[in-house]
């Protein structure tokens, strides 16, 4: 009950829902304006010590203290432009992290190899799909 009362109080607060913030419209438009959400990642809690496939909108932790790890990522496509994948090195090591799309490119090449880091701060990689087509790098490291 407290939660409902708190929501009511917030909705009646002049700084949040005042007349100067609400634009009345008498026509229905096909596009909307308003809230932009932050990406929602699925955190894979298991630290990866071997090859694996990363899903779109996932965050995975890797241990690069042993052998190289190959991460297969989804193919970049027109349907997943803007999709992100996050990879974080959680255990110090200099083994390679090899990024390999199921098809297509990453940074314009078939694979991308990044060396692990032996001391803090460790490796953190953000991949963004740029789609496919002439001149597209496929996946881009940001």
């Amino acid at each position: 009950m407290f939660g409902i009362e708190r929501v009511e109080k917030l909705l009646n607060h002049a700084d949040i829902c005042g007349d100067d913030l609400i634009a009345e419209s008498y026509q229905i438009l096909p596009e909307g304006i308003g809230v932009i959400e932050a990406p929602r990642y699925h955190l894979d809690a298991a630290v990866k010590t071997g090859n694996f496939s990363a899903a779109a909108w996932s965050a995975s932790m890797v241990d690069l203290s042993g052998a190289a790890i190959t991460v297969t990522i989804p193919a970049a496509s027109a349907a997943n432009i803007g999709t992100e994948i996050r990879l974080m090195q959680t255990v110090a090591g200099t083994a390679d992290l090899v990024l390999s799309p199921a098809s297509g490119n990453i940074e314009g090449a078939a694979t991308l190899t990044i060396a692990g880091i032996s001391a803090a701060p460790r490796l953190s990689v953000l991949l963004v799909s740029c789609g496919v087509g002439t001149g597209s790098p496929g996946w881009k490291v940001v």
Side-chain angles (χ1 to χ4, degrees):
M1 191 64 175
F2 172 77
I4 294 171
E5 291 170 348
R6 184 71 180 136
V7 168
E8 179 184 25
K9 188 174 182 179
L10 289 171
L11 290 174
N12 290 325
H13 196 284
D15 288 340
I16 297 173
C17 293
D19 291 339
D20 59 332
L21 300 175
I22 298 174
E24 293 187 22
S25 175
Y26 298 101
Q27 57 176 271
I28 298 174
L29 302 174
E31 65 276 340
I33 59 170
V35 177
I36 298 174
E37 289 190 37
R40 296 180 185 168
Y41 291 96
H42 166 74
L43 176 61
D44 188 347
V47 176
K48 306 294 186 183
T49 57
N51 301 342
F52 69 100
S53 294
W57 297 109
S58 66
S60 300
M61 299 175 285
V62 296
D63 174 352
L64 297 176
S65 64
I69 296 176
T70 297
V71 182
T72 302
I73 58 178
S77 70
N80 70 4
I81 291 176
T83 297
E84 297 178 6
I85 296 174
R86 203 172 272 282
L87 302 166
M88 292 122 352
Q89 178 185 357
T90 56
V91 178
T94 57
D96 289 337
L97 182 64
V98 181
L99 307 175
S100 177
S103 66
N105 291 329
I106 178 166
E107 292 286 351
T111 63
L112 178 67
T113 301
I114 302 173
I117 299 175
S118 62
R122 296 188 183 104
L123 184 66
S124 179
V125 178
L126 173 61
L127 302 171
V128 178
S129 173
C130 297
V132 293
T134 306
S136 172
W139 287 91
K140 182 90 175 138
V141 176
V142 180

